């Protein structure tokens, strides 16, 4: 890899690690890991999602499983830790999209020149 590119990638990585939004995301991630009941709820939601997919794939009625999923998902999302975590995650995703857009625009600009 080109040394200049590697250096810029390292600087971007360091900037991200020092970014307050990233630090806040990591903070909430650790808090959630300290609450096993949240991890169990998340796993239950994943299993319900799989069940829904299988039922739909087999052309079976998934309405009851969907209702159960929606109820449990709402309870999960209403937890203050999860709520804040998801908000920060969305902000972080938007930041990553902005960075990607800037990089792609610069690459296209360099190609066009």
């Amino acid at each position: 890899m080109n040394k200049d590119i590697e250096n810029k990638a390292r600087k971007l990585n360091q900037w991200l690690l020092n970014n307050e939004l990233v630090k806040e995301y990591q903070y909430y991630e650790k808090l959630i890991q300290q609450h096993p009941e949240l991890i169990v709820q998340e796993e239950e939601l994943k299993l319900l999602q799989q069940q829904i997919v299988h039922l739909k794939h087999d052309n079976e009625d998934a309405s009851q499983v969907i209702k159960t999923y929606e109820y449990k998902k709402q309870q999960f999302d209403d937890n203050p830790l999860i709520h804040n975590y998801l908000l920060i995650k969305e902000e972080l995703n938007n930041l990553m999209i902005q960075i990607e857009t800037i990089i792609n625009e610069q690459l296209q600009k360099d190609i066009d020149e």
Side-chain angles (χ1 to χ4, degrees), residues 14-73:
Q14 194 58 48
W15 179 82
L16 285 170
L17 290 174
N18 291 326
N19 183 285
E20 286 304 314
L21 189 59
V22 173
K23 287 180 180 181
E24 195 170 358
Y25 174 80
Q26 291 172 330
Y27 169 77
Y28 276 101
E29 217 173 26
K30 285 179 185 174
L31 278 179
I32 290 169
Q33 294 300 319
Q34 294 171 2
H35 289 83
E37 71 277 4
L38 293 175
I39 297 168
V40 168
Q41 286 177 339
E42 185 177 35
E43 287 304 314
E44 286 177 3
L45 289 170
K46 288 177 185 178
L47 290 173
L48 287 168
Q49 285 176 327
Q50 290 173 356
Q51 233 181 325
I52 292 167
V53 169
H54 289 300
L55 287 169
K56 286 185 174 186
H57 180 265
D58 295 340
N59 293 320
E60 294 182 33
D61 182 23
S63 60
Q64 191 56 45
V65 180
I66 291 171
K67 284 180 187 176
T68 301
Y69 171 80
E70 288 172 347
Y71 175 75
K72 288 188 177 217
K73 177 77 167 114

Side-chain angles (χ1 to χ4, degrees), residues 52-108:
I52 292 167
V53 169
H54 289 300
L55 287 169
K56 286 185 174 186
H57 180 265
D58 295 340
N59 293 320
E60 294 182 33
D61 182 23
S63 60
Q64 191 56 45
V65 180
I66 291 171
K67 284 180 187 176
T68 301
Y69 171 80
E70 288 172 347
Y71 175 75
K72 288 188 177 217
K73 177 77 167 114
Q74 187 63 50
Q75 285 184 316
F76 183 73
D77 289 347
D78 285 346
N79 180 293
L81 284 177
I82 298 299
H83 178 77
N84 289 338
Y85 171 77
L86 292 174
L87 286 175
I88 293 166
K89 184 176 180 180
E90 185 176 342
E91 286 182 51
L92 193 54
N93 283 338
N94 290 337
L95 175 63
M96 293 301 143
I97 290 169
Q98 286 178 323
I99 291 170
E100 180 183 19
T101 300
I102 291 168
I103 290 170
N104 287 335
E105 286 173 353
Q106 187 61 47
L107 287 172
Q108 189 59 46

